Amino acid sequence: MKRVGTGRGQRPVVSRRDFINGVGVAVGGSFLPPGLAAALAANEMSGYYPPIRTGMRGSHDGAYEVAHALRDGVTFGVPQERDDVYDLIVVGGGISGLSAAYFYRKQVDPNARILIIDNHDDFGGHAKRNEFWHDGKMYLRNGGTLNVEAPSQYSTVAAGLLWELGIDRTRYYRAIQSVQDRYKDLGMAFGVFFDQKTHGANKIVSGLGARPAAEFFAETPMSEKARTDAVRLFTEARDYLPGQTPNEKRAKLIRMSYYDFVTGVAECEPEVATLFNPEVNSLFGTGVDAIPAIYGYEMGFAGFSGMDLPEIPPGLLVNEPGGQHGRENAARAGSGDPDLYFPDGNATITRLLVGSLVPGSMSASTMEEIVTAKADYSQLDRGENRVRIRLNSTAIHVANTNASEVAVTYVQNGEPFRVRGRASVLACWNAVIPHICPELPEKQKVALGDGVKAPIVYTSVLLSNWRAFVDAKVNYIAAPGGFHSTLSLSTPLVMGDYRTSASPDEPIVLGMGRYPCKPGLSRRDQHRAGRTELLTTSFETFEREIRGQLHDMFAPHGLDVDRDILGITVNRWPHGYTYSYNPLFDPIEWAFSTSEERPNVIGRQRYRRIAIANADAAASPHTDAAINEAYRAVGELASVI
Ligand SMILES: Cc1cc2nc3c(=O)[nH]c(=O)nc-3n(C[C@H](O)[C@H](O)[C@H](O)COP(=O)(O)OP(=O)(O)OC[C@H]3O[C@@H](n4cnc5c(N)ncnc54)[C@H](O)[C@@H]3O)c2cc1C
């Protein structure tokens, strides 16, 4: 839903937007802080340090135009030959591509010469780092991939990689122990923002799930009937499908949306169903109309406590390969070690990977020190290194040229270049592969085009303080009618020299999530519609909406958006979460089995010396999936080279 700002959003957000070596960067205060000066000095040669760039990031301008032109039939001329023959050329510098390079060196040849090509100006794919500086201090946030989710369910391969990179879960949990209850200790909890347009009043109500439902809903501006319905749904153990066996009920809930369950079967007002939209948005990129009711049950949503539903049989895809965004048995998903949140999200993993691949690129190699480590981008693509990472380069053609060689053509600064290698891993998105690798069998190309990635926006807002959040007693907020539908203060952390804001008077980075979609359409069409909307929404519109929404939510609690917003980075991901199968729109066996007929399996087959990695190959939007697929792809190549 589009909301009109309050008129307070017209001023530029950044108090002083400096340009340092051609980089637009938000710096509060009048001097260059020593840490940032050091980071920039490390990149003196190239003057290049993308994590501090603000404004429209994620799929930034300049990153996607070549790929779109290729899709539209544009040709790029005769490429120049570059470099000696590599052992491996990886397309895609996300977690999967970087892991593929790591596994190749480990399992095939420790001295292998590897080139990794990525279209963005920074490495990491979705796992990007947003770095703000204010009054000499660094404030971090994830620009995409947030956490290591359900780590106990990681495969030996994925958990092993994290361990080898120095991510020690025991040390991590010990480090955060003293701060993890910071918000709770201040009386803060999960809350819901009810907006004026939908409910007739702007109001944050704190404590859904943390206090009696009747007390929570009594404070909301929902209609009287909706409040009564909600209390019933949340508290009564009622069987909404009486007279049916547990298996019959399950079969019904697999084919029915959670929206239809709540409004049709449980006969609640639509306002009650849409309360769950923000959480479903953040997990699937759509609302409750596009997920089956059974996922709601598995995620512990309201309405099922009296339904006597059967346990999910063990061995199904639901528990493979990690947290499955709702396809999990809730009890099992919650078991094992808790999720890991690093201050810059899973950019910590990509920075550790890059450090291990490219000598001199990172000034530290431990989980704690990497957080504040300097990254030297001038080291990434040097001829003397065995692994090179070439940014701002879009692959446009990948081919087996003879029985022992592949060639990859890419465009950098508008110029086409060609490199040769003994093999290639395509760790880019499935939808791109048929366009860059036309020699693949037709059936495989169709399968690669089957899934549609969910568009997502993660916005990072640097605030001068978070007193208004303490006043409203919330640290995580669902805003069902908001332009951004989820808001969360940075997870309290101490990691090496870095610690998140300890006092409400200190600056903090607020994360806001927007998930453009179009309820009523099929899930794939919702994602397509959202993507179009995203690519046509300017940063200025985002800025206006962000300021308007934060004013509406927090002005009553003391926030002044003109005074308190110090910087904004909008991480736009038109091709975000991998498409995961869903029995409302896909065959049941795709969603609930490891069938070889699933398009992701057909699509990921090796073709001579070209293997396919990336999270899409697993049909699972998760870090461990991206790592597992890299390992499989490298293993497939090892058998033919
Ligand atoms: C906003 C967001 C939040 C997420 N949060 C989590 C989370 O908290 N936990 C979790 O486990 N997972 C999360 N995910 C899922 C995430 O996608 C995976 O965790 C993982 O990072 C995917 O890695 P990948 O390498 O397969 O893909 P990507 O990270 O997308 O990397 C692929 C790279 O290939 C590049 N590429 C594509 N085509 C070309 C081309 N032709 N030439 C050159 N380069 C190309 C892409 O631009 C991209 O940089 C999130 C995803 C998004 C979008």
Side-chain angles (χ1 to χ4, degrees):
M1 185 187 85
K2 284 258 179 199
R3 292 176 62 259
V4 182
T6 57
R8 299 176 67 88
Q10 307 305 319
R11 276 184 26 188
V13 146
V14 174
S15 51
R16 200 186 112 217
R17 186 168 299 215
D18 288 355
F19 280 82
I20 299 167
N21 297 324
V23 177
V25 49
V27 182
S30 56
F31 63 97
L32 202 57
L36 177 56
L40 290 170
N43 293 281
E44 211 171 17
M45 297 297 288
S46 58
Y48 191 94
Y49 192 61
I52 54 171
R53 293 180 180 177
T54 59
M56 191 66 95
R57 298 292 294 153
S59 186
H60 54 80
D61 287 347
Y64 57 87
E65 293 82 349
V66 170
H68 287 183
L70 180 74
R71 175 202 62 195
D72 297 340
V74 172
T75 52
F76 294 88
V78 180
Q80 284 176 54
E81 298 288 334
R82 251 188 103 170
D83 308 340
D84 293 335
V85 179
Y86 289 95
D87 293 300
L88 180 71
I89 302 172
V90 180
V91 179
I95 285 177
S96 201
L98 296 169
S99 303
Y102 184 94
F103 290 134
Y104 195 92
R105 292 213 311 174
K106 190 168 175 203
Q107 274 152 245
V108 182
D109 178 3
N111 295 313
R113 291 193 68 250
I114 301 176
L115 176 67
I116 301 166
I117 291 174
D118 196 277
N119 56 319
H120 289 100
D121 59 13
D122 201 353
F123 56 79
H126 291 147
K128 285 286 194 305
R129 170 177 168 111
N130 287 170
E131 194 176 303
F132 293 97
W133 285 83
H134 180 71
D135 278 348
K137 278 188 70 181
M138 176 198 279
Y139 297 89
L140 296 173
R141 186 83 196 194
N142 57 300
T145 310
L146 170 70
N147 63 10
V148 177
E149 193 172 307
S152 299
Q153 294 188 37
Y154 270 39
S155 67
T156 311
V157 163
L161 174 69
L162 298 196
W163 175 259
E164 285 172 18
L165 290 173
I167 295 178
D168 179 335
R169 301 215 290 263
T170 309
R171 232 167 58 221
Y172 174 91
Y173 299 129
R174 204 176 296 137
I176 64 162
Q177 218 167 19
S178 62
V179 295
Q180 60 190 0
D181 290 331
R182 178 176 291 152
Y183 296 135
K184 209 165 125 202
D185 292 346
L186 288 167
M188 299 162 82
F190 170 64
V192 179
F193 173 61
F194 297 89
D195 65 291
Q196 184 160 26
K197 193 166 173 191
T198 318
H199 301 280
N202 286 327
K203 188 171 186 191
I204 294 175
V205 184
S206 168
L208 181 58
R211 57 189 175 125
E215 196 182 302
F216 175 88
F217 285 106
E219 288 180 22
T220 70
M222 293 166 82
S223 71
E224 202 177 321
K225 161 112 174 51
R227 288 204 302 255
T228 310
D229 288 347
V231 173
R232 166 170 56 86
L233 195 76
F234 275 78
T235 58
E236 280 185 26
R238 194 181 286 194
D239 187 349
Y240 289 105
L241 291 171
Q244 304 190 25
T245 66
N247 280 334
E248 284 168 350
K249 289 179 197 171
R250 183 168 199 277
K252 278 227 163 73
L253 297 176
I254 282 174
R255 290 297 199 196
M256 171 194 302
S257 73
Y258 185 66
Y259 181 88
D260 286 345
F261 171 75
V262 173
T263 58
V265 176
E267 296 180 347
C268 295
E269 288 291 292
E271 269 176 283
V272 179
T274 52
L275 269 182
F276 294 88
N277 265 345
E279 183 164 356
V280 173
N281 288 163
S282 70
L283 299 176
F284 297 93
T286 55
V288 286
D289 65 301
I291 61 145
I294 199 75
Y295 288 10
Y297 162 63
E298 287 158 11
M299 288 189 286
F301 284 6
F304 301 106
S305 57
M307 297 282 289
D308 188 25
L309 288 163
E311 271 293 299
I312 302 166
L316 291 185
L317 184 66
V318 285
N319 277 311
E320 189 189 90
Q324 284 286 329
H325 286 183
R327 292 159 60 188
E328 276 291 343
N329 175 302
R332 198 161 156 190
S335 67
D337 285 351
D339 301 346
L340 274 63
Y341 296 83
F342 291 101
D344 57 0
N346 288 3
T348 282
I349 300 176
T350 57
R351 282 160 66 87
L352 286 168
L353 271 167
V354 168
S356 84
L357 294 169
V358 183
S361 59
M362 293 287 161
S363 64
S365 59
T366 67
M367 161 180 95
E368 290 84 359
E369 288 173 348
I370 199 75
V371 175
T372 48
K374 296 186 289 289
D376 183 352
Y377 283 76
S378 68
Q379 299 299 318
L380 294 184
D381 190 8
R382 293 177 90 93
E384 65 268 29
N385 287 341
R386 304 205 76 80
V387 179
R388 303 174 72 170
I389 300 176
R390 193 157 293 163
L391 299 172
N392 302 301
S393 301
T394 305
I396 55 167
H397 195 247
V398 181
N400 289 286
T401 43
N402 59 47
S404 59
E405 214 173 87
V406 301
V408 176
T409 308
Y410 64 90
V411 172
Q412 188 183 45
N413 295 327
E415 296 291 321
F417 298 94
R418 198 173 92 123
V419 281
R420 289 175 301 140
R422 294 177 60 224
S424 181
V425 169
L426 304 186
C428 49
W429 306 320
N430 271 5
V432 173
I433 294 173
H435 298 284
I436 62 175
C437 195
E439 70 181 291
L440 293 179
E442 217 42 52
K443 184 178 175 195
Q444 185 170 1
K445 286 196 276 190
V446 171
L448 285 163
D450 177 80
V452 179
K453 285 164 101 64
I456 299 176
V457 181
Y458 274 10
T459 296
S460 303
V461 181
L462 180 65
L463 296 173
S464 62
N465 68 83
W466 41 288
R467 291 188 291 267
F469 290 75
V470 179
D471 189 69
K473 296 188 167 49
V474 286
N475 61 294
Y476 185 91
I477 310 121
F483 183 78
H484 284 83
S485 64
T486 55
L487 296 90
S488 62
L489 293 179
S490 295
T491 306
L493 286 169
V494 177
M495 201 55 46
D497 290 341
Y498 187 86
R499 64 165 181 82
T500 47
S501 174
S503 151
D505 295 328
E506 291 177 13
I508 199 166
V509 189
L510 170 72
M512 302 174 74
R514 174 170 169 76
Y515 312 87
C517 57
K518 224 170 176 60
L521 301 178
S522 73
R523 183 167 170 207
R524 286 177 179 78
D525 283 343
Q526 293 208 33
H527 292 335
R528 288 189 185 103
R531 183 196 305 160
T532 306
E533 184 211 293
L534 206 48
L535 284 170
T536 50
T537 306
S538 67
F539 177 74
E540 287 64 35
T541 301
F542 269 101
E543 180 175 351
R544 195 174 57 246
E545 293 287 353
I546 291 159
R547 295 163 69 85
Q549 183 174 359
L550 289 179
H551 172 77
D552 291 348
M553 292 177 73
F554 288 104
H557 300 280
L559 185 89
D560 178 335
V561 293
D562 290 337
R563 181 195 61 204
D564 295 333
I565 294 178
L566 301 175
I568 294 179
T569 299
V570 174
N571 300 280
R572 157 182 82 177
W573 299 109
H575 303 269
Y577 288 160
T578 287
Y579 186 85
S580 53
Y581 301 123
N582 173 330
L584 291 183
F585 308 104
D586 300 301
I588 282 184
E589 55 275 18
W590 291 7
F592 292 111
S593 83
T594 52
S595 161
E596 298 285 300
E597 297 305 312
R598 287 172 300 152
N600 65 303
V601 179
I602 298 168
R604 71 186 178 204
Q605 299 306 308
R606 175 183 59 80
Y607 192 71
R608 296 167 60 191
R609 285 179 171 243
I610 299 172
I612 292 172
N614 95 78
D616 293 350
S620 169
H622 289 92
T623 294
D624 51 338
I627 296 169
N628 291 337
E629 294 304 318
Y631 183 81
R632 178 195 46 75
V634 167
E636 288 172 2
L637 287 178
S639 66
V640 290
I641 49 178

